[in-house]
Amino acid sequence: MKEYKMLINGRLVNAVAGKTYPVINPATEEMVTDLPLGGLEEVNIAVQAAKSAFPIWSKIPTSERCRLVKEIAMGIRENADELAKLDTLDHGTPVKMAFHMAMASASCLDFAADTARTMMSEMIPASANTLTYTKKEAVGVVALITPWNAPLMMICDKLGGILATGNTCVVKPPSIDSLEALKLAEIISKVNLPPGTVNIITGPGGLVGNALSSHPDVNMVAFTGSCETGKVIFENASRTVKKIGMELGGKNPYIVLKDADLDVAISKIVMSQYINTGMICAAPGRIYVHESIHDEFVKRFVERAKTITAGDPNDEKTFMGPLVSAEHRDKVEALIKSGIDEGATLLLGGKRPTEPPLNRGYYVLPTVFSNVTSEMMIYSEEIFGPVACIVKFSSEEEVIRAANDNLFGLCAAVFTKDTAKGIRFANELQAGTVWINEGLTASTDLPWGGYKESGFGKVSGVKGVHEFTQEKLVWVDLYGGNMQPLK
Ligand code: NAD
């Protein structure tokens, strides 16, 4: 396999000490290649490079910066086939979806570039003798730390805003699933950016991510990942009062009211539950179903879940590939076991496939639990796997209370034919996104972000681009305190 390298100060490089770490294909458990293992030395060089590039990059006219961001987007589109292959190899993303993810990542960069051109200043005529305007300015060096669940997208949904508004950055992709990030490094190295504008370092979170989020010359940390790591980063960043964006985990309530269209609810919730093998922050965490339709819903949900094609991600027909790693499969299996031990009813799956070729790879079959109750671990913990947890409820008031009684507040969904009622639920639910008769959809044009321990700040949409700026008020006294009446 060809060699993939880190991007530091405009050059594609190996680790200074020549160290590497292996990439494992989650569908076969075979080693794919070695990647450079960055550490503290690389962090210091990259942060210094980003700091030196900042005065140059931030002073380039916005239109030109945005043109260069669009060149990166174009490079992603031109290399979408290779990026998709790497996503399938490294993450186990089914081929069809992998290509779509690469194209959507390019769109994120385009949207940010278009947005940044229109938002950098606002005139506010506060009084007759002053000229007052606000000006959006870049924050400085941004550390972008991302998770493995959608490796390229999780970088690109923030990278466009970071660059288009004039920041420079050091990207720390996840320690597993870094192949696409290094392909992106290669694409970016061919775009004529000032050296050091984008640096990409692969290596362990506890070392590289920790050093970046503590580094005195990093001005902002944009983090997407688990709540646990988010809290460590929050603490690190607080020491030098860095700006922070936090996109953390979720345990999202999907609520099916008694008047819901069951065909719509079932097809959308099944898709939301099993796409990307459940490794999506917005996936259903608790599926609340009204008691009057509960049994019918459960029966049809299981029938539908049985039609999910789980298997080789290279097969065009596959909808659900493996989990990302042996370690993550252990975590998902432990939670499944806790569900069984604590008395939930296992209706489907709950185990690995045993037939070749799926008897190797980190597969877990689509799993459905009913009779899930609030004391169980699977009710409150983010599983991040293909495990549906169905909970019965009897009153609307009760379900709103239960849905909100959780540390997270990322997103929620309500299924009902009564749109006005859906909107009343949206007003009550403590979540950054509420879908009505929809599930797990997002758009580059729309803001995304959580409430409570799911984080703060937005990615995507116009607001997502604003996050990477700070606002300055410029106040000009036009008459030096001596305004004369007009003659
Ligand atoms: P994670 O927190 O384990 O890792 C995320 C990143 O942080 C990785 O790059 C990792 O190497 C790095 N890291 C680990 N320890 C660190 C430390 N001490 N200091 C600095 N960086 C460190 O998360 P994950 O397992 O890769 O991803 C899954 C989580 O991400 C889930 O909880 C999921 O809900 C969340 N997520 C949230 C969103 C969102 O939009 N809210 C989107 C995708 C994923």
Side-chain angles (χ1 to χ4, degrees):
M1 187 179 196
K2 99 182 203 201
E3 204 183 3
Y4 291 95
K5 297 187 177 184
M6 301 188 288
L7 177 63
I8 301 181
N9 202 15
R11 291 177 50 236
L12 293 172
V13 293
N14 285 317
V16 176
K19 288 190 183 160
T20 58
Y21 67 98
V23 172
I24 308 291
N25 181 341
T28 61
E29 304 182 35
E30 284 163 1
M31 192 176 138
V32 174
T33 187
D34 275 324
L35 293 183
L37 182 72
L40 295 184
E41 201 169 346
E42 286 80 4
V43 168
N44 288 330
I45 299 170
V47 171
Q48 190 51 52
K51 190 179 174 187
S52 304
F54 178 67
I56 304 164
W57 176 246
S58 59
K59 287 193 174 64
I60 290 176
T62 308
S63 57
E64 175 60 7
R65 273 201 316 262
C66 293
R67 189 190 66 72
L68 290 165
V69 170
K70 288 196 165 206
E71 251 186 60
I72 301 175
M74 190 58 75
I76 291 177
R77 289 198 180 90
E78 284 166 4
N79 289 278
D81 282 326
E82 184 177 342
L83 285 161
K85 274 192 193 118
L86 296 177
D87 194 13
T88 301
L89 202 60
D90 201 4
H91 180 72
T93 307
V95 270
K96 261 191 178 159
M97 178 176 158
F99 184 78
H100 167 76
M101 295 296 278
M103 298 307 265
S105 300
S107 299
C108 293
L109 292 164
D110 279 340
F111 181 87
D114 289 336
T115 302
R117 292 193 66 173
T118 64
M119 56 159 253
M120 297 306 276
S121 183
E122 187 186 11
M123 184 75 80
I124 305 172
S127 80
N129 56 347
T130 60
L131 168 69
T132 39
Y133 62 93
T134 61
K135 184 171 174 272
K136 298 272 184 193
E137 294 185 342
V139 182
V141 176
V142 179
L144 173 56
I145 303 177
T146 59
W148 44 254
N149 69 315
L152 185 63
M153 176 67 98
M154 290 295 109
I155 296 175
C156 291
D157 66 356
K158 287 155 288 254
L159 185 64
I162 290 170
L163 293 179
T165 56
N167 303 282
T168 57
C169 63
V170 182
V171 183
K172 206 304 261 177
S175 327
I176 35 176
D177 282 6
S178 329
L179 261 176
E180 273 188 289
L182 296 191
K183 177 63 196 175
L184 179 66
E186 186 191 295
I187 292 167
I188 293 176
S189 73
K190 293 184 181 146
V191 176
N192 195 19
L193 305 176
T197 303
V198 180
N199 305 272
I200 303 184
I201 305 179
T202 40
L207 185 64
V208 174
N210 204 55
L212 279 172
S213 55
S214 319
H215 202 294
D217 289 330
V218 166
N219 308 99
M220 174 172 182
V221 184
F223 175 70
T224 306
S226 66
C227 194
E228 201 186 354
T229 309
K231 287 176 185 175
V232 174
I233 289 178
F234 201 43
E235 210 179 314
N236 289 346
S238 72
R239 287 190 217 113
T240 47
V241 195
K242 301 184 196 313
K243 195 167 195 247
I244 315 178
M246 288 270 158
E247 304 297 329
L248 310 178
K251 184 69 181 171
N252 313 303
Y254 277 48
I255 301 169
V256 187
L257 299 181
K258 63 180 168 197
D259 72 338
D261 180 326
L262 281 195
D263 287 335
V264 170
I266 288 166
S267 89
K268 294 207 173 180
I269 302 177
V270 168
M271 193 282 296
S272 306
Q273 189 73 70
Y274 300 109
I275 193 164
N276 202 18
T277 322
M279 298 181 289
I280 298 199
C281 56
R286 295 161 286 158
I287 305 169
Y288 293 100
V289 184
H290 190 266
E291 58 187 3
S292 63
I293 51 164
H294 175 270
D295 293 354
E296 174 72 8
F297 177 92
V298 168
K299 186 170 134 273
R300 286 166 60 183
F301 189 94
V302 171
E303 278 163 17
R304 189 63 178 255
K306 279 183 188 162
T307 68
I308 295 284
T309 39
D312 178 1
N314 292 297
D315 187 334
E316 291 269 332
K317 292 195 284 301
T318 294
F319 178 80
M320 198 184 101
L323 289 166
V324 74
S325 64
E327 188 192 0
H328 188 57
R329 183 178 58 182
D330 288 349
K331 186 196 144 197
V332 171
E333 286 182 334
L335 280 163
I336 291 173
K337 182 172 179 313
S338 81
I340 296 166
D341 293 348
E342 290 178 342
T345 309
L346 180 66
L347 298 169
L348 186 70
K351 54 182 187 226
R352 306 173 183 187
T354 45
E355 294 296 309
L358 303 187
N359 55 347
R360 57 179 197 156
Y362 309 127
Y363 292 96
V364 169
L365 291 167
T367 296
V368 182
F369 279 113
S370 67
N371 294 320
V372 175
T373 58
S374 60
E375 307 76 39
M376 297 174 185
M377 214 160 20
I378 54 170
Y379 179 90
S380 49
E381 286 216 6
E382 185 183 38
I383 300 176
F384 228 53
V387 183
C389 298
I390 302 176
V391 188
K392 195 191 279 187
F393 76 91
S394 46
S395 85
E396 291 170 358
E397 224 175 279
E398 170 207 339
V399 78
I400 289 173
R401 210 175 324 111
N404 287 336
D405 186 18
N406 188 273
L407 293 176
F408 295 113
L410 188 57
C411 56
V414 185
F415 292 85
T416 172
K417 288 192 194 120
D418 180 347
T419 307
K421 182 174 280 183
I423 290 170
R424 279 172 64 193
F425 267 75
N427 292 336
E428 294 295 329
L429 289 166
Q430 296 162 358
T433 296
V434 180
W435 294 288
I436 298 170
N437 296 322
E438 189 49 275
L440 205 151
T441 44
S443 159
T444 47
D445 299 15
L446 298 173
W448 176 262
Y451 280 18
K452 304 197 285 186
E453 291 199 16
S454 290
F456 49 83
K458 297 288 177 193
V459 294
S460 303
V462 174
K463 291 214 162 54
V465 181
H466 279 258
E467 291 286 336
F468 299 107
T469 62
Q470 48 193 348
E471 192 162 44
K472 179 180 282 174
L473 169 67
V474 180
W475 181 309
V476 187
D477 184 333
L478 291 170
Y479 299 96
N482 188 24
M483 186 170 77
Q484 299 296 317
L486 291 174
K487 288 180 187 146

